[in-house]
Amino acid sequence: MRRLVLLLFAGVLAACGAPSEPDATSAQPPPGAFHSGECNLVTDDEVEAAAGTAIFRKVLDGSAGCFWQEDTMLGSVGAGMGISTWWYRGSDLDLERQLEHDAGRTITELEMSGNQGFQAQDVNACSIYIDKGDDVIAWSIQTLNPASLPDLCSITAKLAQLSQDRVN
């Protein structure tokens, strides 16, 4: 009986087969698609250099983007402010522009390394969005104390330009 169970189990496994290797081309983005790499190809040291201070610490590193949190506290709670970069796959620049407009930020159109985009800013934040075909990449900074940093838009512009120089 035990032998029969083992034979049946072996037969089921054989029928299922071994897991197939993924097709090498299936992991690649489609032709013409944008793919930038980890943190849109900008390092922690470059974030620190652009910000002119070491108060930002990477707390999120994912396939869609990265976030460097500002060491700012409200009492005993972190304020959650910081620098981020995101790769919005399948997003539309007009949608992002409308969301920033609805948030009350001032919108300025721009072009960076041949790509259309815009800057959105208010007193405590500055974001740059760049069109990359069917995708959008964004760099953003938000802080409770903008006076402690260089011009916020100069920080995001430096970081966005680094990304553009490396992925264009």
Side-chain angles (χ1 to χ4, degrees):
M1 180 71 165
R2 186 174 186 190
R3 181 176 269 169
L4 179 62
V5 170
L6 286 174
L7 284 173
L8 285 172
F9 183 68
V12 168
L13 285 178
C16 293
S20 63
E21 291 296 316
D23 182 5
T25 59
S26 67
Q28 301 299 317
F34 168 69
H35 181 69
S36 69
E38 181 179 321
C39 299
N40 287 318
L41 299 178
V42 174
T43 68
D44 297 349
D45 289 340
E46 291 167 326
V47 168
E48 183 177 321
T53 181
I55 65 168
F56 296 97
R57 178 177 41 88
K58 189 188 298 176
V59 295
L60 176 68
D61 186 348
S63 62
C66 296
F67 180 69
W68 293 264
Q69 187 165 4
E70 183 178 346
D71 292 332
T72 302
M73 303 295 283
L74 295 174
S76 62
V77 177
M81 300 291 147
I83 297 173
S84 63
T85 185
W86 302 107
W87 169 13
Y88 298 113
R89 295 178 182 131
S91 187
D92 179 77
L93 196 61
D94 291 333
L95 172 64
E96 302 300 334
R97 186 182 291 107
Q98 186 63 49
L99 291 170
E100 290 287 356
H101 178 268
D102 292 349
R105 296 202 169 108
T106 301
I107 306 295
T108 306
E109 298 301 317
L110 60 83
E111 178 272 331
M112 188 174 283
S113 301
N115 300 101
Q116 295 304 307
F118 69 92
Q119 174 180 288
Q121 72 181 89
D122 62 24
V123 173
N124 293 33
C126 184
S127 301
I128 291 181
Y129 294 81
I130 303 296
D131 184 45
K132 299 301 282 182
D134 292 334
D135 300 331
V136 172
I137 64 167
W139 278 94
S140 185
I141 184 169
Q142 294 185 23
T143 182
L144 294 176
N145 190 6
S148 69
L149 296 168
D151 174 67
L152 299 181
C153 290
S154 72
I155 295 170
T156 55
K158 287 176 188 173
L159 296 170
Q161 188 65 59
L162 284 171
S163 291
Q164 290 305 300
D165 291 347
R166 294 171 182 167
V167 301
N168 249 4

